[in-house]
Amino acid sequence: MQPVPVRGLIPQLPRRAWLILGGDAVSALGTGLTLPFFLIYLNQVRGIELGTAGPILSTVAAMGLVGNPVGGLMTDRFGARWPAVTGLVLAAAGTAAMIGVRSAWQGFLAAGLYGLGAAITEPSFQALVGTSVPTGRRSQVFAVRHASLNVGLSAGGLLAAFTVTFSSAQSFVTIYLLDAATFLVLAVVISLATRGHRQASPIAAGDRRVPPEPQAARGYREILTDRVLLPIWLSVVGVFAFGYAQLYSAYPILATRTGGLDAAGLQLTLVVNTVTVILAQLVVLRLMDGRRRTRGFALSAALMAAAWLIVLWAATGTAGSSAPAGFAVAMFVFAVGETLLSPTLPAIVNDLASDSTRGRYNGAYSLAGTTGIVIGPAVAGTVLGAGHGPALFACMALVLGLVALRAFRLERLLPASANLVAAASAGSAVQVGQGEGTRDG
């Protein structure tokens, strides 16, 4: 097989899609500046006890339980543009308010405002991303978004390393102001990129169907009749609760306390994860050309399960001197699993939705992720606190394995038009239709 040039790995997306993704990467850079230091800032700079600072951080995720459904409903009623911009302005205000935090109630208020804004933005932004390309390009655009997010977060973390001094409150003021500014940059980009644009999805080449006229959103009861959405929702909760959420909660604790990694070793394994995502995302996307999204999702969950089993092997003494390498391998495997998730489930959700329900479908998807992020650390804290870390990782691997098996059940429920990754580098939009063949049978 001839090697694929780097240029051939980059999907051909419309200019509007690249503008939106570029703005998103800038916003991610701002998040990378501040998120790793959230607890440190509240505790060491503002003097708030860790027992209170932790719940303040949890408030950011908890606000998603309200903001995600609201953002989805607003998107269907008013279009994706203004809910996205409104959410970004709220998030910028919450981030800027962190500068003035001197007490716990102020921390909760700022974190709540930031979390609500980010939560309202997510489903509307997902809808914008999904409609910025023809239907056959959705896997590509969501995969590129995942890669660009990691680039932005990594760049922000690197910049923070040269900007933040724990003894200097002013350095924290600087990064929070920069973070707030990046939210506003994305708001401006969305306003300009979507000016005069209809919410209806671009039509794929050769597809002469007329987009349905937008209808007033009637709440979430309408989409709950979709029998495919519930298994997707539960799968997303499972992957986030026992996959993503544990990457920065249970994994660092088990790797350091039980596995003996020091802080530098732990950080190195997390760098392996991030770099792998950035370098592998487009390669994995190319390898998925013509394959079923459900197969990619099943492999994603299976790889995350395998990663936790490797962590378990490395942490419990079986690995011996190979333990540090074992943790690095686990983070590599987990990262490959991430790159398989991004072109699959978000694209499926947007293909299942009509233009009049797209916001609520993305709101439900975002809410599933938020629910997992809220549940995951709570479960990890309880189980790890009771001294059952190895059992936790064994159970998490089992749950993710069951999610992978469930993906094959989902495959039988999905229409073929929502379950195929079109060619990433084709020169024109590809219509995904019933009856098109796949490479994996």
Side-chain angles (χ1 to χ4, degrees):
M1 180 181 293
Q2 293 294 324
V4 180
V6 173
R7 186 175 181 180
L9 293 174
I10 301 175
Q12 297 184 17
L13 303 178
R15 177 175 177 270
R16 190 169 70 90
W18 285 116
L19 284 173
I20 292 172
L21 293 174
D24 192 36
V26 171
S27 180
L29 185 148
T31 302
L33 280 171
T34 58
L35 191 58
F37 301 108
F38 193 99
L39 293 178
I40 294 173
Y41 170 69
L42 291 177
N43 178 243
Q44 297 188 20
V45 178
R46 298 309 184 197
I48 297 174
E49 295 181 357
L50 281 176
T52 303
I56 291 176
L57 177 58
S58 298
T59 301
V60 176
M63 290 305 294
L65 300 176
V66 176
N68 290 152
V70 169
L73 188 60
M74 289 174 63
T75 297
D76 285 338
R77 287 188 173 175
F78 308 114
R81 180 186 186 190
W82 290 116
V85 170
T86 300
L88 288 165
V89 171
L90 289 175
T95 301
M98 291 297 298
I99 296 170
V101 169
R102 297 294 187 277
S103 61
W105 74 265
Q106 292 172 333
F108 278 111
L109 181 62
L113 186 59
Y114 163 65
L116 180 63
I120 290 174
T121 298
E122 184 58 21
S124 55
F125 190 81
Q126 290 268 94
L128 283 173
V129 172
T131 57
S132 68
V133 295
T135 54
R137 285 283 173 269
R138 285 196 176 125
S139 287
Q140 285 74 48
V141 76
F142 283 109
V144 172
R145 187 197 179 195
H146 187 235
S148 62
L149 273 174
N150 277 272
V151 170
L153 289 169
S154 299
L158 184 63
L159 180 60
F162 294 98
T163 305
V164 174
T165 302
F166 289 175
S167 60
S168 170
Q170 184 58 44
S171 67
F172 285 91
V173 170
T174 299
I175 63 172
Y176 276 108
L177 285 176
L178 288 173
D179 189 12
T182 62
F183 282 120
L184 298 179
V185 167
L186 179 55
V188 171
V189 168
I190 289 174
S191 296
L192 296 176
T194 58
R195 181 176 295 175
H197 174 73
R198 295 178 60 188
Q199 186 175 330
S201 305
I203 302 301
D207 189 350
R208 300 184 181 278
R209 292 173 296 173
V210 178
E213 291 297 322
Q215 303 173 1
R218 296 189 294 274
Y220 279 86
R221 183 178 300 178
E222 179 182 359
I223 69 169
L224 293 178
T225 59
D226 187 337
R227 67 192 183 104
V228 183
L229 187 60
L230 180 59
I232 290 176
W233 198 90
L234 292 174
S235 295
V236 174
V237 171
V239 167
F240 274 77
F242 301 108
Y244 282 110
Q246 306 302 340
L247 195 61
Y248 292 97
S249 54
Y251 167 67
I253 295 174
L254 190 76
T256 53
R257 291 186 180 177
T258 306
L261 273 187
D262 57 17
L266 174 65
Q267 186 61 30
L268 180 60
T269 65
L270 294 173
V271 168
V272 168
N273 174 268
T274 302
V275 171
T276 300
V277 168
I278 294 171
L279 296 180
Q281 181 66 82
L282 297 182
V283 176
V284 168
L285 178 63
R286 182 58 180 263
L287 292 174
M288 287 187 66
D289 281 359
R291 301 184 188 276
R292 297 180 187 180
R293 289 167 175 164
T294 46
R295 304 289 175 90
F297 172 56
L299 183 56
S300 171
L303 286 174
M304 290 183 185
W308 293 150
L309 291 177
I310 296 171
V311 167
L312 189 59
W313 168 76
T316 53
T318 309
S321 61
S322 301
F327 288 121
V329 170
M331 290 300 96
F332 170 82
V333 172
F334 192 96
V336 177
E338 291 183 62
T339 65
L340 284 160
L341 180 63
S342 55
T344 55
L345 286 190
I348 288 173
V349 168
N350 276 270
D351 278 359
L352 289 175
S354 67
D355 288 318
S356 62
T357 61
R358 192 174 312 283
R360 280 166 289 164
Y361 270 77
N362 280 291
Y365 179 84
S366 299
L367 179 62
T370 298
T371 302
I373 289 173
V374 171
I375 292 173
V379 171
T382 301
V383 178
L384 289 170
H388 302 304
L392 172 66
F393 275 77
C395 290
M396 292 195 305
L398 175 61
V399 172
L400 290 169
L402 293 175
V403 170
L405 292 176
R406 182 68 178 174
F408 291 98
R409 166 69 176 169
L410 177 62
E411 185 173 293
R412 295 196 293 270
L413 299 175
L414 278 177
S417 58
N419 198 23
L420 184 68
V421 178
S425 57
S428 60
V430 178
Q431 180 181 357
V432 181
Q434 299 279 353
E436 284 192 289
T438 63
R439 294 182 187 174
D440 54 9

Tab-separated table of all heavy atoms in Angstrom, residues 100-157:
chain	number	residue	atom	x	y	z
A	100	GLY	N	-12.267	38.222	40.188
A	100	GLY	CA	-12.712	38.905	41.400
A	100	GLY	C	-13.099	37.990	42.535
A	100	GLY	O	-13.588	38.469	43.576
A	101	VAL	N	-12.910	36.697	42.389
A	101	VAL	CA	-13.309	35.748	43.430
A	101	VAL	C	-12.433	35.930	44.677
A	101	VAL	O	-11.203	35.866	44.600
A	101	VAL	CB	-13.213	34.297	42.915
A	101	VAL	CG1	-13.356	33.307	44.059
A	101	VAL	CG2	-14.281	34.038	41.858
A	102	ARG	N	-13.096	36.146	45.798
A	102	ARG	CA	-12.385	36.245	47.075
A	102	ARG	C	-13.013	35.345	48.136
A	102	ARG	O	-12.460	35.183	49.228
A	102	ARG	CB	-12.396	37.693	47.587
A	102	ARG	CG	-11.686	38.688	46.692
A	102	ARG	CD	-10.183	38.417	46.611
A	102	ARG	NE	-9.489	39.470	45.880
A	102	ARG	CZ	-9.401	39.536	44.550
A	102	ARG	NH1	-9.996	38.590	43.809
A	102	ARG	NH2	-8.755	40.507	43.956
A	103	SER	N	-14.190	34.791	47.810
A	103	SER	CA	-14.900	33.950	48.780
A	103	SER	C	-15.588	32.817	48.035
A	103	SER	O	-15.683	32.821	46.800
A	103	SER	CB	-15.928	34.772	49.555
A	103	SER	OG	-16.898	35.308	48.667
A	104	ALA	N	-16.080	31.842	48.788
A	104	ALA	CA	-16.676	30.656	48.180
A	104	ALA	C	-17.906	30.997	47.348
A	104	ALA	O	-18.070	30.495	46.230
A	104	ALA	CB	-17.042	29.649	49.271
A	105	TRP	N	-18.796	31.867	47.856
A	105	TRP	CA	-20.024	32.160	47.116
A	105	TRP	C	-19.702	32.836	45.793
A	105	TRP	O	-20.388	32.602	44.774
A	105	TRP	CB	-20.978	33.004	47.958
A	105	TRP	CG	-20.605	34.456	48.130
A	105	TRP	CD1	-19.915	35.003	49.165
A	105	TRP	CD2	-20.928	35.528	47.231
A	105	TRP	NE1	-19.758	36.357	48.973
A	105	TRP	CE2	-20.382	36.711	47.803
A	105	TRP	CE3	-21.604	35.617	46.024
A	105	TRP	CZ2	-20.505	37.961	47.187
A	105	TRP	CZ3	-21.730	36.863	45.397
A	105	TRP	CH2	-21.190	38.017	45.984
A	106	GLN	N	-18.664	33.658	45.771
A	106	GLN	CA	-18.261	34.285	44.519
A	106	GLN	C	-17.712	33.243	43.542
A	106	GLN	O	-17.954	33.320	42.332
A	106	GLN	CB	-17.200	35.354	44.787
A	106	GLN	CG	-17.735	36.553	45.544
A	106	GLN	CD	-16.632	37.503	45.972
A	106	GLN	OE1	-15.479	37.093	46.173
A	106	GLN	NE2	-16.968	38.773	46.107
A	107	GLY	N	-16.996	32.237	44.090
A	107	GLY	CA	-16.480	31.164	43.240
A	107	GLY	C	-17.606	30.350	42.627
A	107	GLY	O	-17.577	30.019	41.433
A	108	PHE	N	-18.619	30.023	43.446
A	108	PHE	CA	-19.759	29.275	42.923
A	108	PHE	C	-20.495	30.074	41.849
A	108	PHE	O	-20.926	29.523	40.832
A	108	PHE	CB	-20.730	28.929	44.062
A	108	PHE	CG	-20.321	27.717	44.852
A	108	PHE	CD1	-19.892	27.841	46.167
A	108	PHE	CD2	-20.373	26.446	44.293
A	108	PHE	CE1	-19.522	26.730	46.909
A	108	PHE	CE2	-19.999	25.327	45.019
A	108	PHE	CZ	-19.569	25.468	46.329
A	109	LEU	N	-20.654	31.372	42.074
A	109	LEU	CA	-21.360	32.222	41.109
A	109	LEU	C	-20.606	32.287	39.783
A	109	LEU	O	-21.197	32.112	38.708
A	109	LEU	CB	-21.534	33.631	41.690
A	109	LEU	CG	-22.288	34.628	40.800
A	109	LEU	CD1	-23.720	34.149	40.558
A	109	LEU	CD2	-22.296	36.018	41.451
A	110	ALA	N	-19.292	32.519	39.846
A	110	ALA	CA	-18.494	32.619	38.621
A	110	ALA	C	-18.453	31.288	37.885
A	110	ALA	O	-18.627	31.230	36.654
A	110	ALA	CB	-17.075	33.083	38.955
A	111	ALA	N	-18.245	30.200	38.629
A	111	ALA	CA	-18.197	28.878	38.010
A	111	ALA	C	-19.544	28.502	37.405
A	111	ALA	O	-19.621	27.907	36.318
A	111	ALA	CB	-17.770	27.830	39.033
A	112	GLY	N	-20.642	28.856	38.100
A	112	GLY	CA	-21.967	28.560	37.581
A	112	GLY	C	-22.261	29.310	36.303
A	112	GLY	O	-22.828	28.744	35.350
A	113	LEU	N	-21.873	30.579	36.250
A	113	LEU	CA	-22.087	31.386	35.046
A	113	LEU	C	-21.267	30.842	33.883
A	113	LEU	O	-21.771	30.706	32.753
A	113	LEU	CB	-21.703	32.845	35.336
A	113	LEU	CG	-21.996	33.859	34.231
A	113	LEU	CD1	-23.477	33.891	33.898
A	113	LEU	CD2	-21.513	35.244	34.660
A	114	TYR	N	-20.022	30.509	34.162
A	114	TYR	CA	-19.160	29.926	33.124
A	114	TYR	C	-19.720	28.588	32.634
A	114	TYR	O	-19.820	28.336	31.434
A	114	TYR	CB	-17.748	29.741	33.691
A	114	TYR	CG	-16.871	28.804	32.895
A	114	TYR	CD1	-16.483	29.113	31.602
A	114	TYR	CD2	-16.435	27.598	33.448
A	114	TYR	CE1	-15.674	28.247	30.871
A	114	TYR	CE2	-15.642	26.733	32.730
A	114	TYR	CZ	-15.265	27.066	31.443
A	114	TYR	OH	-14.477	26.205	30.723
A	115	GLY	N	-20.106	27.720	33.573
A	115	GLY	CA	-20.626	26.411	33.200
A	115	GLY	C	-21.921	26.505	32.420
A	115	GLY	O	-22.124	25.762	31.450
A	116	LEU	N	-22.813	27.411	32.822
A	116	LEU	CA	-24.082	27.571	32.108
A	116	LEU	C	-23.840	28.043	30.683
A	116	LEU	O	-24.440	27.529	29.730
A	116	LEU	CB	-24.973	28.567	32.853
A	116	LEU	CG	-26.337	28.842	32.214
A	116	LEU	CD1	-27.184	27.582	32.180
A	116	LEU	CD2	-27.060	29.964	32.969
A	117	GLY	N	-22.954	29.028	30.527
A	117	GLY	CA	-22.657	29.533	29.187
A	117	GLY	C	-22.068	28.468	28.287
A	117	GLY	O	-22.487	28.299	27.132
A	118	ALA	N	-21.097	27.726	28.815
A	118	ALA	CA	-20.472	26.666	28.022
A	118	ALA	C	-21.479	25.585	27.663
A	118	ALA	O	-21.460	25.040	26.551
A	118	ALA	CB	-19.291	26.071	28.787
A	119	ALA	N	-22.389	25.277	28.600
A	119	ALA	CA	-23.373	24.225	28.357
A	119	ALA	C	-24.404	24.639	27.317
A	119	ALA	O	-24.841	23.820	26.505
A	119	ALA	CB	-24.066	23.863	29.669
A	120	ILE	N	-24.823	25.886	27.328
A	120	ILE	CA	-25.755	26.379	26.308
A	120	ILE	C	-25.089	26.369	24.938
A	120	ILE	O	-25.713	26.037	23.921
A	120	ILE	CB	-26.239	27.796	26.671
A	120	ILE	CG1	-27.167	27.736	27.890
A	120	ILE	CG2	-26.938	28.461	25.496
A	120	ILE	CD1	-27.576	29.098	28.412
A	121	THR	N	-23.809	26.706	24.919
A	121	THR	CA	-23.086	26.795	23.646
A	121	THR	C	-22.932	25.441	22.980
A	121	THR	O	-23.056	25.329	21.749
A	121	THR	CB	-21.696	27.411	23.871
A	121	THR	OG1	-21.838	28.726	24.380
A	121	THR	CG2	-20.894	27.450	22.575
A	122	GLU	N	-22.655	24.389	23.747
A	122	GLU	CA	-22.228	23.120	23.155
A	122	GLU	C	-23.222	22.533	22.150
A	122	GLU	O	-22.835	22.210	21.029
A	122	GLU	CB	-21.893	22.115	24.246
A	122	GLU	CG	-21.349	20.780	23.732
A	122	GLU	CD	-20.085	20.906	22.896
A	122	GLU	OE1	-19.374	21.937	23.018
A	122	GLU	OE2	-19.814	19.987	22.115
A	123	PRO	N	-24.517	22.352	22.484
A	123	PRO	CA	-25.409	21.767	21.480
A	123	PRO	C	-25.598	22.656	20.263
A	123	PRO	O	-25.713	22.151	19.135
A	123	PRO	CB	-26.726	21.560	22.243
A	123	PRO	CG	-26.637	22.426	23.434
A	123	PRO	CD	-25.188	22.535	23.775
A	124	SER	N	-25.637	23.970	20.464
A	124	SER	CA	-25.788	24.865	19.318
A	124	SER	C	-24.533	24.830	18.449
A	124	SER	O	-24.610	24.848	17.215
A	124	SER	CB	-26.082	26.293	19.786
A	124	SER	OG	-25.097	26.758	20.681
A	125	PHE	N	-23.364	24.733	19.091
A	125	PHE	CA	-22.135	24.662	18.317
A	125	PHE	C	-22.035	23.343	17.571
A	125	PHE	O	-21.598	23.290	16.416
A	125	PHE	CB	-20.920	24.844	19.239
A	125	PHE	CG	-19.638	25.011	18.482
A	125	PHE	CD1	-19.289	26.237	17.946
A	125	PHE	CD2	-18.783	23.934	18.275
A	125	PHE	CE1	-18.111	26.391	17.226
A	125	PHE	CE2	-17.614	24.071	17.557
A	125	PHE	CZ	-17.275	25.314	17.029
A	126	GLN	N	-22.449	22.246	18.221
A	126	GLN	CA	-22.477	20.950	17.541
A	126	GLN	C	-23.376	21.010	16.306
A	126	GLN	O	-23.057	20.446	15.258
A	126	GLN	CB	-22.992	19.869	18.490
A	126	GLN	CG	-22.038	19.508	19.610
A	126	GLN	CD	-21.117	18.361	19.257
A	126	GLN	OE1	-20.008	18.576	18.801
A	126	GLN	NE2	-21.588	17.160	19.442
A	127	ALA	N	-24.522	21.710	16.440
A	127	ALA	CA	-25.419	21.858	15.301
A	127	ALA	C	-24.764	22.691	14.198
A	127	ALA	O	-24.900	22.375	13.013
A	127	ALA	CB	-26.730	22.504	15.744
A	128	LEU	N	-24.051	23.756	14.577
A	128	LEU	CA	-23.343	24.561	13.587
A	128	LEU	C	-22.295	23.745	12.851
A	128	LEU	O	-22.162	23.831	11.624
A	128	LEU	CB	-22.669	25.757	14.273
A	128	LEU	CG	-23.555	26.930	14.668
A	128	LEU	CD1	-22.756	27.931	15.475
A	128	LEU	CD2	-24.141	27.595	13.434
A	129	VAL	N	-21.546	22.943	13.595
A	129	VAL	CA	-20.524	22.092	12.976
A	129	VAL	C	-21.182	21.086	12.039
A	129	VAL	O	-20.740	20.881	10.907
A	129	VAL	CB	-19.702	21.366	14.059
A	129	VAL	CG1	-18.779	20.326	13.427
A	129	VAL	CG2	-18.879	22.370	14.856
A	130	GLY	N	-22.274	20.478	12.500
A	130	GLY	CA	-22.938	19.463	11.704
A	130	GLY	C	-23.555	19.990	10.423
A	130	GLY	O	-23.662	19.258	9.431
A	131	THR	N	-23.962	21.263	10.418
A	131	THR	CA	-24.583	21.847	9.230
A	131	THR	C	-23.611	22.689	8.403
A	131	THR	O	-24.009	23.298	7.425
A	131	THR	CB	-25.785	22.719	9.622
A	131	THR	OG1	-25.365	23.730	10.549
A	131	THR	CG2	-26.879	21.873	10.263
A	132	SER	N	-22.351	22.719	8.798
A	132	SER	CA	-21.360	23.485	8.033
A	132	SER	C	-20.808	22.689	6.860
A	132	SER	O	-20.032	23.213	6.068
A	132	SER	CB	-20.201	23.909	8.948
A	132	SER	OG	-19.441	22.783	9.363
A	133	VAL	N	-21.206	21.422	6.767
A	133	VAL	CA	-20.701	20.534	5.718
A	133	VAL	C	-21.864	19.739	5.128
A	133	VAL	O	-22.918	19.602	5.749
A	133	VAL	CB	-19.648	19.546	6.270
A	133	VAL	CG1	-18.409	20.276	6.746
A	133	VAL	CG2	-20.243	18.708	7.411
A	134	PRO	N	-21.696	19.179	3.916
A	134	PRO	CA	-22.696	18.239	3.400
A	134	PRO	C	-22.788	17.018	4.304
A	134	PRO	O	-21.860	16.707	5.054
A	134	PRO	CB	-22.149	17.866	2.011
A	134	PRO	CG	-21.214	18.974	1.655
A	134	PRO	CD	-20.626	19.455	2.943
A	135	THR	N	-23.912	16.315	4.247
A	135	THR	CA	-24.134	15.200	5.156
A	135	THR	C	-23.021	14.157	5.092
A	135	THR	O	-22.677	13.544	6.097
A	135	THR	CB	-25.481	14.525	4.851
A	135	THR	OG1	-25.528	14.160	3.468
A	135	THR	CG2	-26.639	15.465	5.159
A	136	GLY	N	-22.452	13.933	3.906
A	136	GLY	CA	-21.398	12.942	3.764
A	136	GLY	C	-20.072	13.341	4.373
A	136	GLY	O	-19.136	12.540	4.401
A	137	ARG	N	-19.974	14.575	4.879
A	137	ARG	CA	-18.722	15.069	5.457
A	137	ARG	C	-18.778	15.189	6.988
A	137	ARG	O	-17.868	15.710	7.605
A	137	ARG	CB	-18.386	16.439	4.864
A	137	ARG	CG	-17.863	16.375	3.435
A	137	ARG	CD	-16.406	15.912	3.449
A	137	ARG	NE	-15.928	15.682	2.100
A	137	ARG	CZ	-16.007	14.523	1.487
A	137	ARG	NH1	-16.543	13.488	2.105
A	137	ARG	NH2	-15.545	14.367	0.264
A	138	ARG	N	-19.862	14.722	7.603
A	138	ARG	CA	-20.001	14.950	9.041
A	138	ARG	C	-18.962	14.202	9.859
A	138	ARG	O	-18.456	14.720	10.855
A	138	ARG	CB	-21.417	14.578	9.489
A	138	ARG	CG	-22.435	15.637	9.065
A	138	ARG	CD	-23.737	15.529	9.783
A	138	ARG	NE	-24.586	16.647	9.380
A	138	ARG	CZ	-25.807	16.521	8.875
A	138	ARG	NH1	-26.330	15.310	8.726
A	138	ARG	NH2	-26.508	17.569	8.535
A	139	SER	N	-18.634	12.989	9.489
A	139	SER	CA	-17.600	12.267	10.237
A	139	SER	C	-16.288	13.027	10.186
A	139	SER	O	-15.559	13.124	11.190
A	139	SER	CB	-17.409	10.860	9.646
A	139	SER	OG	-18.494	10.023	9.981
A	140	GLN	N	-15.975	13.593	8.998
A	140	GLN	CA	-14.715	14.320	8.854
A	140	GLN	C	-14.666	15.583	9.704
A	140	GLN	O	-13.679	15.865	10.382
A	140	GLN	CB	-14.490	14.678	7.373
A	140	GLN	CG	-14.063	13.517	6.500
A	140	GLN	CD	-15.215	12.562	6.223
A	140	GLN	OE1	-16.301	12.984	5.853
A	140	GLN	NE2	-14.979	11.274	6.396
A	141	VAL	N	-15.769	16.348	9.686
A	141	VAL	CA	-15.722	17.623	10.397
A	141	VAL	C	-15.671	17.417	11.908
A	141	VAL	O	-14.968	18.153	12.624
A	141	VAL	CB	-16.918	18.518	9.985
A	141	VAL	CG1	-18.227	18.070	10.631
A	141	VAL	CG2	-16.644	19.978	10.313
A	142	PHE	N	-16.355	16.390	12.439
A	142	PHE	CA	-16.285	16.146	13.878
A	142	PHE	C	-14.928	15.566	14.283
A	142	PHE	O	-14.435	15.824	15.390
A	142	PHE	CB	-17.418	15.223	14.319
A	142	PHE	CG	-18.749	15.929	14.424
A	142	PHE	CD1	-19.761	15.679	13.512
A	142	PHE	CD2	-18.963	16.859	15.426
A	142	PHE	CE1	-20.977	16.340	13.599
A	142	PHE	CE2	-20.181	17.531	15.526
A	142	PHE	CZ	-21.194	17.258	14.606
A	143	ALA	N	-14.311	14.799	13.397
A	143	ALA	CA	-12.967	14.300	13.684
A	143	ALA	C	-11.957	15.442	13.713
A	143	ALA	O	-11.100	15.518	14.601
A	143	ALA	CB	-12.561	13.264	12.640
A	144	VAL	N	-12.055	16.342	12.738
A	144	VAL	CA	-11.142	17.494	12.713
A	144	VAL	C	-11.354	18.357	13.951
A	144	VAL	O	-10.397	18.880	14.534
A	144	VAL	CB	-11.348	18.317	11.428
A	144	VAL	CG1	-10.549	19.617	11.489
A	144	VAL	CG2	-10.929	17.518	10.204
A	145	ARG	N	-12.614	18.492	14.381
A	145	ARG	CA	-12.862	19.284	15.582
A	145	ARG	C	-12.145	18.674	16.790
A	145	ARG	O	-11.554	19.399	17.599
A	145	ARG	CB	-14.369	19.372	15.880
A	145	ARG	CG	-14.625	20.339	17.030
A	145	ARG	CD	-15.977	20.218	17.671
A	145	ARG	NE	-16.055	21.187	18.772
A	145	ARG	CZ	-16.960	21.182	19.726
A	145	ARG	NH1	-17.896	20.243	19.733
A	145	ARG	NH2	-16.940	22.080	20.688
A	146	HIS	N	-12.203	17.357	16.925
A	146	HIS	CA	-11.544	16.711	18.058
A	146	HIS	C	-10.040	16.950	18.029
A	146	HIS	O	-9.429	17.253	19.062
A	146	HIS	CB	-11.851	15.216	18.028
A	146	HIS	CG	-11.368	14.491	19.244
A	146	HIS	ND1	-10.532	13.390	19.178
A	146	HIS	CD2	-11.584	14.695	20.572
A	146	HIS	CE1	-10.265	12.971	20.401
A	146	HIS	NE2	-10.890	13.733	21.263
A	147	ALA	N	-9.440	16.842	16.847
A	147	ALA	CA	-7.999	17.079	16.730
A	147	ALA	C	-7.655	18.529	17.029
A	147	ALA	O	-6.702	18.822	17.770
A	147	ALA	CB	-7.526	16.692	15.328
A	148	SER	N	-8.432	19.475	16.474
A	148	SER	CA	-8.124	20.891	16.676
A	148	SER	C	-8.342	21.310	18.124
A	148	SER	O	-7.619	22.165	18.652
A	148	SER	CB	-8.967	21.764	15.731
A	148	SER	OG	-10.350	21.617	15.996
A	149	LEU	N	-9.327	20.702	18.797
A	149	LEU	CA	-9.522	20.975	20.215
A	149	LEU	C	-8.284	20.582	21.021
A	149	LEU	O	-7.833	21.329	21.900
A	149	LEU	CB	-10.737	20.204	20.732
A	149	LEU	CG	-12.109	20.855	20.612
A	149	LEU	CD1	-13.195	19.879	21.048
A	149	LEU	CD2	-12.195	22.128	21.433
A	150	ASN	N	-7.749	19.413	20.726
A	150	ASN	CA	-6.560	18.959	21.449
A	150	ASN	C	-5.351	19.823	21.142
A	150	ASN	O	-4.520	20.070	22.022
A	150	ASN	CB	-6.285	17.489	21.123
A	150	ASN	CG	-7.119	16.543	21.958
A	150	ASN	OD1	-6.737	16.152	23.051
A	150	ASN	ND2	-8.289	16.183	21.442
A	151	VAL	N	-5.248	20.294	19.902
A	151	VAL	CA	-4.160	21.221	19.568
A	151	VAL	C	-4.293	22.495	20.387
A	151	VAL	O	-3.323	22.993	20.978
A	151	VAL	CB	-4.161	21.543	18.059
A	151	VAL	CG1	-3.202	22.691	17.756
A	151	VAL	CG2	-3.781	20.317	17.254
A	152	GLY	N	-5.522	23.040	20.452
A	152	GLY	CA	-5.741	24.263	21.215
A	152	GLY	C	-5.476	24.080	22.698
A	152	GLY	O	-4.818	24.911	23.329
A	153	LEU	N	-5.983	22.994	23.267
A	153	LEU	CA	-5.757	22.736	24.691
A	153	LEU	C	-4.273	22.570	25.003
A	153	LEU	O	-3.772	23.084	26.012
A	153	LEU	CB	-6.523	21.482	25.113
A	153	LEU	CG	-8.051	21.610	25.168
A	153	LEU	CD1	-8.684	20.226	25.332
A	153	LEU	CD2	-8.489	22.527	26.304
A	154	SER	N	-3.570	21.860	24.135
A	154	SER	CA	-2.131	21.653	24.350
A	154	SER	C	-1.364	22.952	24.242
A	154	SER	O	-0.473	23.236	25.057
A	154	SER	CB	-1.600	20.643	23.326
A	154	SER	OG	-2.251	19.405	23.462
A	155	ALA	N	-1.711	23.762	23.247
A	155	ALA	CA	-1.036	25.052	23.085
A	155	ALA	C	-1.302	25.951	24.287
A	155	ALA	O	-0.403	26.654	24.770
A	155	ALA	CB	-1.504	25.723	21.791
A	156	GLY	N	-2.534	25.915	24.789
A	156	GLY	CA	-2.859	26.710	25.969
A	156	GLY	C	-2.089	26.252	27.195
A	156	GLY	O	-1.571	27.071	27.959
A	157	GLY	N	-1.997	24.940	27.381
A	157	GLY	CA	-1.231	24.424	28.515
A	157	GLY	C	0.238	24.788	28.435
A	157	GLY	O	0.865	25.131	29.446
